[in-house]
Amino acid sequence: MNIYDLTKEELICYFLSIGAKKYHAEEMYRWLYQKKIKDFSEVTNIKKDILKQVQKDFSLGSISVVQVERDTDVSKYLFELSDSCHVEAVLMMHDYGRSICVSSQVGCNMGCKFCESGRRKKVRNLKASEMVEQILKVEEDLGKRISHVVVMGIGEPFDNYDSFIQFVKIINDPLGLQIGSRHITVSTCGIIPKIEEFSLFPYQVNLAISLHAPNDLLRSRLMPINKVYPLKELMISLKKYSEKTSRRLTFEYILLKDINDSEHYALELANLIKGMNAYVNLIPYNSTENLGFFRSDAFQIMKFYDILKKNHINVTIRREFGSNISAACGQLRSKKEEL
Ligand code: SAH
């Protein structure tokens, strides 16, 4: 078992079960996440016989960095997992801090037509530890702490819900990485039963919805998941989510040239989300080869933005990172594995 799969509470249970004390587990948590040990032998304040048992029962990490692409305020990391699969994370420097975009699965089964990750089927879910370690590895490379986490890399986090929740508990812990839940955002293509479950999760984690189209016809063409969880039902479940949690939602909307970027769609979008506690994040598309989608031009993006604004919708245009490097989800992995 990988020790990074355990919450602090689970580690405490384990320590008690081997006859050690609660504070030993708390010390261990600090060694893991604050001092970031590479080997259990670095631990100095826990008795040797306890440490021996821990060493026997747990491994310490399982992923390694195999490639880094760097640009001024963004770096992209390619990781190799213990079974030779690859996933990616992106580090972004903002004026408010450093954020990381982590992957939640190897590949993805949602099949969104414009997405590089979706072009390649899911191989497996990531374990919580494999998500946690993406942060640890990037912090190690950087020599600094990361303040914000978005689960928007390869994979659909709500298709790997339990590991995602475990991941949040681990990185949020005050003795661990201390990433505040308001600094964590999860993005989903709209898996309704998990949105309902997530509304009961007592952490103030932000929820982003990949909308990308304001009606069923277009959305089903772009995102096959819409045939399973259609827009109308999705919006009902999101309204319930908002009522239950009082948290503000984010709608992500990639602007795809001549597909979903017309003034007509902007109006339809405004009508769809009018009155909700939500804002729209317009995303300039990162073109990837072979998929046949293109980025809307700047003028069209501004037109779309203006229509939403005029209709009193909170809207931002996503700041761009990494179009010089392979920053669209899944591009680096694809390059590596298809060479
Ligand atoms: N499966 C989740 C999270 C991963 S994708 C989801 O669907 O939300 C994170 C976001 O990046 C999604 O909004 C996705 O639609 C978007 N995305 C995918 N490919 C992109 C590309 N080439 N350019 C810009 N955004 C992209």
Side-chain angles (χ1 to χ4, degrees):
M1 176 128 199
N2 184 339
I3 200 159
Y4 296 115
D5 272 311
L6 266 55
T7 61
K8 189 178 65 203
E9 283 62 38
E10 289 166 344
L11 199 65
I12 291 171
C13 284
Y14 164 79
F15 268 76
L16 294 176
S17 79
I18 61 164
K21 297 274 187 297
K22 180 178 171 197
Y23 72 85
H24 289 131
E26 292 170 344
E27 274 308 329
M28 180 56 84
Y29 224 68
R30 286 198 189 91
W31 284 103
L32 293 174
Y33 294 105
Q34 293 177 16
K35 301 190 186 105
K36 300 195 171 64
I37 52 168
K38 296 278 161 308
D39 193 289
F40 287 119
S41 64
E42 291 171 47
V43 176
T44 55
N45 58 357
I46 296 177
K47 281 198 221 102
K48 283 268 171 329
D49 52 334
I50 300 175
L51 219 48
K52 264 214 179 104
Q53 190 61 45
V54 174
Q55 214 157 355
K56 233 174 92 190
D57 292 335
F58 291 104
S59 64
L60 187 62
S62 67
I63 80 170
S64 54
V65 178
V66 289
Q67 194 183 332
V68 188
E69 286 190 4
R70 297 178 202 275
D71 206 339
T72 17
D73 46 11
V74 56
S75 303
K76 181 130 188 180
Y77 294 78
L78 183 71
F79 301 103
E80 189 162 295
L81 312 177
S82 56
D83 55 359
S84 304
C85 286
H86 295 93
V87 291
E88 303 165 23
V90 185
L91 167 72
M92 291 158 283
M93 316 292 188
H94 303 271
D95 44 9
Y96 58 79
R98 286 173 283 270
S99 78
I100 183 176
C101 172
V102 300
S103 294
S104 57
Q105 297 179 316
V106 181
C108 182
N109 274 348
M110 300 302 120
C112 299
K113 297 288 186 261
F114 47 80
C115 179
E116 179 68 21
S117 308
R119 198 165 63 80
R120 314 194 44 210
K121 286 276 157 271
K122 177 170 95 174
V123 178
R124 67 172 175 87
N125 284 331
L126 291 191
K127 298 195 295 174
S129 55
E130 292 168 319
M131 301 176 71
V132 171
E133 285 180 60
Q134 293 174 50
I135 305 180
L136 286 170
K137 292 289 177 197
V138 172
E139 283 197 344
E140 183 189 326
D141 178 62
L142 195 65
K144 287 179 185 146
R145 286 188 45 197
I146 283 166
S147 55
H148 293 68
V149 173
V150 298
V151 187
M152 294 189 184
I154 300 172
E156 167 50 51
F158 280 6
D159 183 38
N160 184 16
Y161 187 77
D162 294 345
S163 299
F164 160 70
I165 292 293
Q166 182 81 352
F167 164 74
V168 170
K169 291 178 182 165
I170 294 169
I171 65 169
N172 179 251
D173 196 284
L175 297 186
L177 291 172
Q178 303 173 342
I179 296 173
S181 49
R182 287 166 195 270
H183 285 190
I184 303 172
T185 302
V186 61
S187 176
T188 179
C189 60
I191 304 199
I192 294 176
K194 294 301 167 190
I195 293 173
E196 282 166 13
E197 211 172 322
F198 188 57
S199 71
L200 303 171
F201 182 54
Y203 289 59
Q204 296 284 311
V205 172
N206 305 301
L207 179 62
I209 304 293
S210 292
L211 200 62
H212 309 327
N215 63 51
D216 276 314
L217 193 68
L218 182 58
R219 195 163 191 268
S220 292
R221 261 179 54 207
L222 296 173
M223 303 174 69
I225 192 70
N226 193 68
K227 294 176 195 153
V228 186
Y229 301 116
L231 200 54
K232 199 165 157 219
E233 289 166 33
L234 178 61
M235 297 312 284
I236 293 172
S237 106
L238 291 173
K239 281 174 188 157
K240 279 196 205 140
Y241 171 90
S242 283
E243 274 165 29
K244 224 176 245 161
T245 63
S246 309
R247 294 178 221 153
R248 185 161 82 146
L249 284 167
T250 305
F251 286 110
E252 296 160 282
Y253 195 103
I254 304 177
L255 287 164
L256 302 163
K257 189 175 173 59
D258 298 332
I259 304 278
N260 67 353
D261 63 349
S262 71
E263 292 93 305
H264 168 79
Y265 287 131
L267 257 182
E268 202 176 356
L269 176 61
N271 285 327
L272 183 72
I273 64 174
K274 206 165 37 194
M276 290 178 77
N277 180 20
Y279 82 99
V280 175
N281 194 206
L282 296 176
I283 309 175
Y285 182 59
N286 263 320
S287 292
T288 84
E289 288 159 42
N290 314 325
L291 295 180
F293 290 95
F294 302 94
R295 151 183 306 220
S296 307
D297 54 53
F299 182 68
Q300 196 60 30
I301 295 179
M302 281 322 294
K303 250 192 191 162
F304 202 96
Y305 174 91
D306 282 342
I307 293 173
L308 293 180
K309 270 264 168 225
K310 273 197 197 111
N311 285 275
H312 314 292
I313 302 293
N314 292 314
V315 54
T316 53
I317 299 176
R318 179 171 293 175
R319 182 181 154 202
E320 277 200 79
F321 282 101
S323 27
N324 292 334
I325 59 174
S326 314
C329 313
Q331 273 183 347
L332 205 58
R333 169 171 177 256
S334 288
K335 267 201 222 163
K336 170 91 183 169
E337 295 190 350
E338 279 164 18
L339 273 181

